[in-house]
Amino acid sequence: MYCEDKFREVYGREPETSFSPYRIAPLGAHIDHQFGCIHGLALNYGVHMAYGIKQNGIIELQSLNFPKRVQFHVNDVPEEKSGDWGDYLRGVTKELGKKYRLKYGIAGVIRGALPSGGISSSAALTICYLRAVAQANGIELEDNDYIYMSKKAENDYVGVSTGKLDQSCETLCRKGKLLALDCLDDSYENVAPGPDMPDYRIGIFFSGVPRSLANSAYNSRVDECKAAAFALYAYDHGDLDMGLKFKDMYLRMVPEGTFKEYGVRLPHDWQKRARHYYTEMDRVKRGLECWKNGDLAGYGKLVNESGMSSIVNYECGSPELIKLYDILSKLDGVYGCRFSGAGFKGCCMALLDPAKVDMIREVVEKEYLAEFPDMLGKYKAYICETADGVGKAK
Ligand code: GLA
């Protein structure tokens, strides 16, 4: 059922609507929180919302995907999170209320078009919702409002130390173009592919293992990167008492040459996290050239290498995701693939030759379920195209 139909059934009137796409980041995985550079594409699937304004300031929402109705007042958001999907909404309402005066609430129904995990459904949920509450209150949001309010909600209210990759892609991307964003200074371009670039589709292959960033090792990986940055910076400056705070350290502060010189002194795990960062920065740079030259094969090769670095250096992934990566990376018609998003559970994304999509779906399903039969009914594959982000330039 669509959320519009459910809204009509429950509220007996026509709804307003809001939408935010999901995203993939073919290159730049796990370096946004270190203020690195990323690539992103928004998908033509996402989170939809059908809603109406509530004069009394109450937010009253139900999801077609998750149990439990969410209810709170726009100006009285609980300080403590509840541990359910409503936390994203509560957190972002708090952020919105810090900058703009809120008076009206909304009542409505939310629906995610695809399963969650790896395509940033959490940012899509907050962005879609933010757009609706802003509209209800007559607020014109800037792109950066979407990005920073959603990120802050996730960091401070939900408690996951994400960077701004997800929110930026879902806000700034443009159909058919690759978002190239520098997370240090927020400069970005939406880059058209070179004229001879072959057509492609985006395959999303859900492992069937549900994802939860908050419960995963996501935050500890971020800390390992920061620890590597802190140590490398100190080695380079010959001083451990630099007056710098751990929380303010990130790998972009440390030139690659410093890693090459002092990296061997780092504990093995920190060394590997830093290696992922520097090699991924390089892949993002080379990938952009491939994209601009229409060299999808070259771009895809870098995506495969990025996927391998996530397995070997960043050590995210799970047996299920690694199996999907193994199957996809060897298949004819797959330009490149890697885990999508946090990469602990969730899904693999792949850039596919449209002519081979059916064969690819068949082989992946067969080989994956042969290894993980319990995932029958949970494993799902979708073929997507690119889309615009939610941003006001629409
Ligand atoms: C999650 C986070 C992002 C980013 C990716 C990995 O989606 O929310 O900030 O770190 O993982 O690239």
Side-chain angles (χ1 to χ4, degrees):
M1 184 184 232
Y2 290 114
C3 49
E4 288 84 351
D5 296 331
K6 184 73 185 175
F7 183 92
R8 286 185 201 105
E9 184 186 301
V10 176
Y11 298 98
R13 57 189 158 117
E14 275 306 299
E16 303 281 342
T17 57
S18 179
F19 173 76
S20 167
Y22 300 126
R23 66 91 193 90
I24 58 159
L27 290 173
H30 287 293
I31 64 172
D32 60 333
H33 49 68
Q34 299 306 301
F35 294 90
C37 298
I38 64 106
H39 290 175
L41 296 166
L43 303 181
N44 61 337
Y45 287 90
V47 173
H48 298 260
M49 195 169 155
Y51 66 96
I53 297 179
K54 269 181 90 76
Q55 306 288 336
N56 62 1
I58 299 282
I59 302 289
E60 174 190 292
L61 293 166
Q62 62 175 298
S63 159
L64 296 183
N65 309 86
F66 300 107
K68 232 173 159 183
R69 184 180 267 265
V70 171
Q71 207 175 34
F72 59 94
H73 191 280
V74 277
N75 293 319
D76 188 18
V77 179
E79 287 304 321
E80 289 298 311
K81 65 176 177 177
S82 312
D84 60 36
W85 65 278
D87 285 339
Y88 293 94
L89 313 186
R90 286 183 280 267
V92 85
T93 308
K94 245 185 188 321
E95 294 308 319
L96 185 65
K98 284 183 195 163
K99 182 162 172 187
Y100 299 100
R101 197 175 146 265
L102 300 178
K103 184 163 178 223
Y104 301 111
I106 50 176
V109 183
I110 297 185
R111 172 178 168 267
L114 302 186
S116 53
I119 47 175
S120 193
S121 40
S122 50
L125 170 67
T126 48
I127 288 173
C128 176
Y129 164 81
L130 200 48
R131 190 171 201 263
V133 184
Q135 188 273 340
N137 284 280
I139 299 165
E140 275 267 343
L141 289 177
E142 302 289 325
D143 288 344
N144 272 343
D145 288 336
Y146 282 115
I147 297 169
Y148 284 101
M149 286 176 185
S150 305
K151 176 179 182 293
K152 215 151 183 309
E154 196 140 354
N155 293 165
D156 296 355
Y157 200 83
V158 180
V160 191
S161 320
T162 64
K164 58 185 157 222
L165 182 154
D166 304 339
Q167 301 80 3
S168 303
C169 295
E170 292 173 357
T171 302
L172 303 173
C173 278
R174 290 291 163 260
K175 189 176 158 78
K177 297 188 173 167
L178 181 74
L179 173 72
L181 167 75
D182 186 334
C183 295
L184 187 63
D185 62 9
D186 285 349
S187 58
Y188 72 93
E189 281 181 89
N190 279 303
V191 186
D196 298 327
M197 186 144 119
D199 194 13
Y200 65 95
R201 294 287 178 278
I202 299 164
I204 302 288
F205 300 86
F206 286 100
S207 60
V209 184
R211 167 220 77 140
S212 164
L213 275 186
N215 295 334
S216 75
Y218 187 93
N219 286 354
S220 60
R221 288 289 182 283
V222 173
D223 285 345
E224 286 162 352
C225 291
K226 290 163 78 67
F230 195 94
L232 288 169
Y233 197 91
Y235 292 143
D236 196 25
H237 291 76
D239 182 6
L240 272 171
D241 183 21
M242 304 167 292
L244 286 169
K245 294 203 174 77
F246 177 78
K247 75 172 179 44
D248 300 325
M249 300 299 300
Y250 48 89
L251 281 166
R252 189 75 181 271
M253 293 168 75
V254 182
E256 189 175 3
T258 306
F259 174 62
K260 286 199 171 132
E261 194 170 345
Y262 300 108
V264 286
R265 293 196 199 168
L266 294 174
H268 198 52
D269 284 351
W270 300 2
Q271 207 180 109
K272 285 196 281 187
R273 309 310 175 237
R275 187 170 305 122
H276 174 75
Y277 169 84
Y278 292 107
T279 57
E280 191 69 5
M281 281 294 273
D282 180 56
R283 285 185 285 271
V284 168
K285 196 164 145 215
R286 286 190 289 141
L288 192 58
E289 287 316 302
C290 293
W291 187 268
K292 284 180 177 166
N293 292 330
D295 177 9
L296 188 54
Y299 190 88
K301 198 164 162 280
L302 291 166
V303 177
N304 281 343
E305 286 171 19
S306 168
M308 190 43 88
S309 180
S310 286
I311 298 173
V312 177
N313 294 320
Y314 207 75
E315 293 181 292
C316 53
S318 60
E320 294 84 354
L321 281 179
I322 294 174
K323 180 70 190 171
L324 281 173
Y325 172 83
D326 279 347
I327 302 168
L328 282 159
S329 58
K330 293 186 187 96
L331 264 185
D332 181 34
V334 177
Y335 288 105
C337 64
R338 56 155 298 111
F339 313 149
S340 188
F344 289 94
K345 297 163 185 169
C347 66
C348 258
M349 52 105 343
L351 301 174
L352 309 175
D353 175 349
K356 305 214 167 114
V357 158
D358 292 342
M359 174 277 287
I360 292 167
R361 285 184 80 143
E362 224 171 90
V363 175
V364 177
E365 179 164 345
K366 194 161 147 250
E367 291 191 13
Y368 180 67
L369 292 178
E371 178 118 353
F372 295 102
D374 290 357
M375 290 299 146
L376 181 68
K378 295 183 189 141
Y379 162 83
K380 299 243 155 49
Y382 297 86
I383 306 301
C384 312
E385 298 189 19
T386 64
D388 286 335
V390 79
K392 63 191 165 86
K394 258 186 159 174

